[in-house]
Amino acid sequence: MPDSQPQPPHSPSPSDSAGPGSLLLSGARLADGRTVDVRLHGGRIEAVGTAGSLTPRRAPGPGGHPDPGGHLDLGGYLLLPAPADPHVHADTALTADVPGPVSYDPEDVQRRVTEAALLQLGHGATAFRAHVRVGDVAELGALTAVLRTRRSLRGLADLTAVAMPRVLTGVAGADGLAILRDAVKMGADVVGGCPDLDPDPTGYVEAVLEVAAEHGCPVDLHTDAADPARLARLAAMAGGLRPGVAVGPCDGLGRLPAEVVSRAADGLAAAGVTVVCLPQGACGASDRSDGTAPVRLLRAAGVRVTAGSGALRDVSNPVGRGDPLEAAYLLASRHGLRPEEAYDAVSAAARAALGLPEVRVEAGFPAELVAVRGDRLAGALSLAYSRLVVHRGRVVARTSAVREYGDATASTDLGLPRQGRGGRGRRDGHGGQVGPGGQGGPGDMT
């Protein structure tokens, strides 16, 4: 008997009929230790049951045939809600080795944004918030490219854009304010920027909040938060704004006395402001190399803390990976969060910060999932080589890692796992099958 089943619909609809949008995931391990089957249909989780209890969806009516959607054996994999990335700089991604100034030609930017998005999708992120420069050299060209990419990625991943003007106050800021309004009219989803770089940081925040209120947009601001008085003013001004305010990376808080940070955290929590830290390295809007705020203290105060990837192989971080599981690993290994808390920062908290619906591996929830080789969350964060990504109920990315060992007598004597040898395959010690043919990923769809 399945552990959870959706409620019957109030009335039939086209989405209720069997079709190619259904998929059965069998034998997956959940974070709570259960091994389950999960059936997806119509972009949502249709049913979750004990292993072996579910079958492929059948067409309605007498003698209905199994749905031709597909079946995947996820034995040896941990099934989790898919991560989301609330802070990426896709317009400058993959430019670390580019000689000369970075090109903001829309075609060049679109190529970079697409490549970066697919890289992150392969890591498991099915939603991203791209912070895009507007004005100055880029004008609106970079935003145009990001919006084009958003359309081209439809069905693979969800991409939203933050418009980031440089200056918004004084005579020089008039153009920035006009271009920010134009960016929102073009289709930018969020208004933001870096008040720390404006001669009047408080005036910058006021201008951003005014535009956001005019258009009903969320706000996402870059700040190192090294000035607690300025951060307190920001929180007071942003308090109660809907659909929400995020700030990051706030790594300057880590250089302040604990009692000062505690007061700042209380103010952020009271205002409902989300903090987006960057444990893989700060982005170009910050002059510090560490983008991680004091996450434990912030969480203890009730602040929603999430984590993004920031720079991806640009001048700010030439070795960025854009991997949300690496961000979670760093939060656990360097910043004292439990693995479950660290993964929440890149999944549930990240989705909430982006205004996306909650995902659980339960019937009725969106089918936004990632399967990672392993049987426990800590192990998955440590050795997350093989991954399978599901967006809107469909497999959109698959990475299968193959591990091989040389012909060493010691490995044979100790019974260590090997690949590329004849005979029956054996587990590689991380939940995956190794053996003939060197296959390291989940079974093929049948």
Side-chain angles (χ1 to χ4, degrees), residues 15-429:
S15 63
D16 294 327
S17 62
S22 66
L23 177 64
L24 177 64
L25 309 175
S26 62
R29 179 71 65 91
L30 300 185
D32 62 12
R34 289 181 294 150
T35 301
V36 299
D37 293 345
V38 179
R39 191 167 59 217
L40 316 178
H41 182 73
R44 306 191 77 81
I45 298 173
E46 185 180 62
V48 178
T50 53
S53 68
L54 297 184
T55 58
R57 200 174 198 267
R58 304 189 73 84
H65 298 289
D67 185 337
H71 173 212
L72 279 172
D73 181 357
L74 291 185
Y77 277 70
L78 186 69
L79 188 64
L80 303 165
D85 196 323
H87 193 122
V88 303
H89 287 271
D91 56 337
T92 58
L94 311 173
T95 59
D97 298 326
V98 174
V102 173
S103 169
Y104 283 96
D105 178 82
E107 288 189 5
D108 293 336
V109 176
Q110 186 172 357
R111 188 178 304 110
R112 295 197 299 262
V113 175
T114 302
E115 184 177 353
L118 293 177
L119 176 67
Q120 293 187 273
L121 177 63
H123 289 320
T126 62
F128 325 96
R129 177 179 280 182
H131 294 249
V132 186
R133 299 180 186 184
V134 297
D136 298 330
V137 176
E139 290 296 326
L140 290 170
L143 178 62
T144 299
V146 171
L147 297 179
R148 287 176 184 167
T149 306
R150 178 173 69 186
R151 291 190 292 271
S152 68
L153 290 174
R154 198 164 291 154
L156 291 175
D158 294 324
L159 174 65
T160 55
V162 185
M164 291 179 53
R166 182 172 178 83
V167 178
L168 288 180
T169 65
V171 176
D175 288 343
L177 194 55
I179 207 166
L180 178 59
R181 287 192 165 96
D182 287 343
V184 176
K185 292 174 184 176
M186 281 179 58
D189 310 275
V190 187
V191 291
C194 186
D196 297 356
L197 300 180
D198 193 285
D200 179 6
T202 299
Y204 189 106
V205 174
E206 289 174 344
V208 166
L209 293 176
E210 180 181 346
V211 174
E214 289 173 4
H215 296 275
C217 295
V219 170
D220 199 324
L221 294 167
H222 290 62
T223 179
D224 66 1
D227 184 334
R230 186 187 300 170
L231 183 64
R233 286 195 296 271
L234 188 160
M237 289 161 37
L241 182 71
R242 295 293 178 266
V245 176
V247 297
C250 295
D251 50 321
L253 287 174
R255 302 188 293 274
L256 299 175
E259 62 272 15
V260 175
V261 178
S262 181
R263 287 196 297 271
D266 289 341
L268 292 170
V273 174
T274 296
V275 170
V276 183
C277 65
L278 303 175
Q280 295 170 96
C283 59
S286 174
D287 60 0
R288 302 286 177 174
S289 60
D290 183 2
T292 308
V295 294
R296 292 182 65 187
L297 193 154
L298 291 168
R299 283 176 54 91
V303 178
R304 177 194 289 147
V305 177
T306 183
S309 60
L312 176 58
R313 300 184 206 164
D314 65 13
V315 67
S316 304
N317 184 6
V319 295
R321 294 180 59 188
D323 184 351
L325 269 66
E326 182 185 49
Y329 162 80
L330 291 170
L331 289 175
S333 66
R334 296 181 56 188
H335 299 283
L337 297 190
R338 294 183 294 108
E340 295 77 13
E341 296 170 336
Y343 191 73
D344 178 84
V346 300
S347 56
R351 289 185 61 85
L354 297 180
L356 297 171
E358 181 182 11
V359 173
R360 299 181 192 171
V361 187
E362 298 177 14
F365 284 85
E368 302 288 322
L369 305 167
V370 62
V372 185
R373 179 75 62 80
D375 58 1
R376 289 180 177 80
L377 186 57
L381 297 184
S382 302
L383 294 169
Y385 298 134
S386 295
R387 308 181 194 185
L388 181 140
V389 187
V390 174
H391 174 56
R392 300 186 182 180
R394 187 170 70 94
V395 176
V396 292
R398 190 188 315 220
T399 302
S400 295
V402 176
R403 178 178 296 156
E404 296 183 323
Y405 300 93
D407 289 325
T409 302
S411 64
T412 302
D413 293 343
L414 293 173
L416 298 179
R418 298 285 302 279
Q419 286 202 9
R421 296 177 62 116
R424 296 173 63 94
R426 290 180 288 175
R427 298 286 175 180
D428 67 354

